[in-house]
Amino acid sequence: MIGFLIKGLWRDRTRSLFPFLTVVTGVMITVFMQAYMGGFTSNLNESSAAFTTGHLKVTSRAYAREGDQAPNELAYAGVDKLLGELRIQAPDLIWTPRIRFAGLLDVPDGRGETRAQAPMAGLGIGLLSEGSADRRILKLDSSIVRGRMPARPGEVLVSDDLARHLDIGPGADATLISSTMYGGMATSNFTIAGTVRFGIRAMDRGTMLADIRDIQAALDMEDAAGEILGFFADSLYRRGVADSLAAQFNTRWGKTEDEFAPTVVAMHVQPGTAELMDYLGAVSGAIVGVFTFAMSIVLWNAGLVGSLRRYGEIGLRLAFGEHKGRLYRAMIAESLAIGLFGSAVGTMLGLVPAYWLQSRGFDVGSLMPNSSLMVNNVIRAQITTMTFFIGFLPGLLATGIGTAISGIGVYKRQTATLIKELEA
């Protein structure tokens, strides 16, 4: 019976071509959008974790309450001891201390007077330590545009856009003007070892990277750091594990009322990140829902038109004694066959642009020159196992729902009027 129905669909393409093309188009868009949203979300999570949130963030309670303000006067003191404790309690994670700071980068002329000056945001990280985790996490070695990595204290990296704005290059001297941990004015001289480009507009506009020991000395933050970031060794964020670890540490440290006691926050509950991750998850789900609903409406209309066209055929089959339920099920089987084949073709067509975007990427940096999102300028898709199956949900569901609704008319046919209908 199924073979007979499929053969009928193949031979009478006028009743299958339009629903087939509708399914192919809808599934193709759904598959591509799922891969695109997956790539965008992965890109955002990876960039945010590497530069700002980590998979886990350890700060003082007072520092955590300030969110993204990063006030170094609320930094955690005694960071070396805390770092040792973290590495013992959670040895599977990579723990690295950081200091976020802001200020002016002043470039002197030949007489030592200010020639150029620009605001910048900085990171104190493990630049000089042997086997630095930060160099790998931030992909610094592959981000060098001019010059080299710092090799000794007092050498820093700056973003290439900032260096060009200040008209300086590797080997140039610059003075950091900022504030100390205690609110005083801080000035320190550094040498530009190289320039970098992260491909993240928010970082490329004006960033300085220095070794954390240099920044501790410059900002009067001996044995202190604003935050300690924890990363899973394989760079994959595990939400459940992160929640469990954060709860364990916070239970251990929660007995004191000291606002400078440490606290741990998982990546997905940090201010800003939590809302964005929930939003992207909702958008991904809405894509499938919207296309399922839209295709169901279109296929419902197509089913109604097809039923009108097949009015005589349906009447004849009923006149021969075919049960209405069997006829109804046959119509649904036809639609599912169209949906299955259309979903397979649509999935293959959707994977083509998704694979191109995943391997080549698309640079959108010029479209968001003032973006503050921690997302790479090169947008890439991400093809996962779900990408191969996501299209079958709207493809089969829409065709089934559309035919189920339009096929209700079968039950409204009155057998007593069939002869008069056929004579007409």
Side-chain angles (χ1 to χ4, degrees), residues 181-231:
M181 181 178 177
Y182 302 101
M185 184 174 181
T187 58
S188 295
N189 296 322
F190 293 97
T191 300
I192 310 299
T195 66
V196 291
R197 179 171 289 118
F198 303 102
I200 300 173
R201 191 61 185 166
M203 298 294 295
D204 288 336
R205 281 201 300 266
T207 300
M208 169 180 161
L209 300 179
D211 187 71
I212 191 169
R213 301 297 179 187
D214 289 337
I215 297 303
Q216 285 175 329
L219 305 185
D220 199 11
M221 297 179 64
E222 184 179 355
D223 196 23
E227 53 202 37
I228 299 176
L229 301 186
F231 297 90

Side-chain angles (χ1 to χ4, degrees), residues 55-56 232 237-251 264-269:
H55 295 147
L56 290 166
F232 292 105
Y237 181 59
R238 297 173 178 82
R239 185 167 180 160
V241 178
D243 272 333
S244 177
L245 287 171
Q248 291 176 23
F249 282 116
N250 289 331
T251 299
V264 184
V265 184
M267 175 182 172
H268 65 275
V269 295

Side-chain angles (χ1 to χ4, degrees), residues 103-369:
L104 292 175
L105 198 62
D106 183 276
V107 179
D109 59 16
R111 296 179 296 176
E113 298 179 355
T114 298
R115 177 176 63 83
Q117 204 176 67
M120 61 84 211
L123 274 178
I125 59 176
L127 269 182
L128 303 179
S129 58
E130 186 176 353
S132 168
D134 283 318
R135 290 175 61 162
R136 177 179 61 82
I137 292 169
L138 299 179
K139 302 176 182 177
L140 294 181
D141 292 286
S142 61
S143 300
I144 295 291
V145 177
R146 295 181 289 162
R148 56 173 175 78
M149 289 291 298
R152 59 183 65 88
E155 292 185 338
V156 299
L157 295 173
V158 297
S159 60
D160 195 63
D161 290 352
L162 176 61
R164 294 185 184 280
H165 173 72
L166 295 173
D167 192 24
I168 57 175
D173 293 325
T175 300
L176 169 66
I177 304 175
S178 186
S179 60
T180 70
M181 181 178 177
Y182 302 101
M185 184 174 181
T187 58
S188 295
N189 296 322
F190 293 97
T191 300
I192 310 299
T195 66
V196 291
R197 179 171 289 118
F198 303 102
I200 300 173
R201 191 61 185 166
M203 298 294 295
D204 288 336
R205 281 201 300 266
T207 300
M208 169 180 161
L209 300 179
D211 187 71
I212 191 169
R213 301 297 179 187
D214 289 337
I215 297 303
Q216 285 175 329
L219 305 185
D220 199 11
M221 297 179 64
E222 184 179 355
D223 196 23
E227 53 202 37
I228 299 176
L229 301 186
F231 297 90
F232 292 105
D234 57 5
S235 300
L236 297 177
Y237 181 59
R238 297 173 178 82
R239 185 167 180 160
V241 178
D243 272 333
S244 177
L245 287 171
Q248 291 176 23
F249 282 116
N250 289 331
T251 299
R252 183 180 298 114
W253 296 327
K255 299 177 181 179
T256 176
E257 299 297 327
D258 184 5
E259 67 173 358
F260 288 96
T263 185
V264 184
V265 184
M267 175 182 172
H268 65 275
V269 295
Q270 294 183 31
T273 305
E275 293 81 358
L276 189 57
M277 292 178 72
D278 291 340
Y279 171 76
L280 292 176
V283 169
S284 299
I287 289 173
V288 177
V290 166
F291 281 109
T292 298
F293 178 76
M295 285 194 295
S296 295
I297 297 298
V298 173
L299 293 171
W300 176 16
N301 291 328
L304 290 174
V305 174
S307 296
L308 291 174
R309 182 181 176 277
R310 300 172 63 190
Y311 199 76
E313 174 200 336
I314 293 173
L316 185 61
R317 291 170 66 176
L318 290 174
F320 276 125
E322 185 170 357
H323 192 271
K324 289 182 178 181
R326 178 170 179 172
L327 179 57
Y328 186 61
R329 290 191 295 271
M331 293 174 63
I332 292 179
E334 289 180 2
S335 68
L336 292 178
I338 294 173
L340 182 63
F341 186 54
S343 297
V345 174
T347 297
M348 289 188 291
L349 293 178
L351 287 172
V352 173
Y355 178 77
W356 180 89
L357 191 62
Q358 176 177 270
S359 58
R360 297 290 186 86
F362 183 71
D363 192 343
V364 295
S366 59
L367 302 179
M368 46 182 189

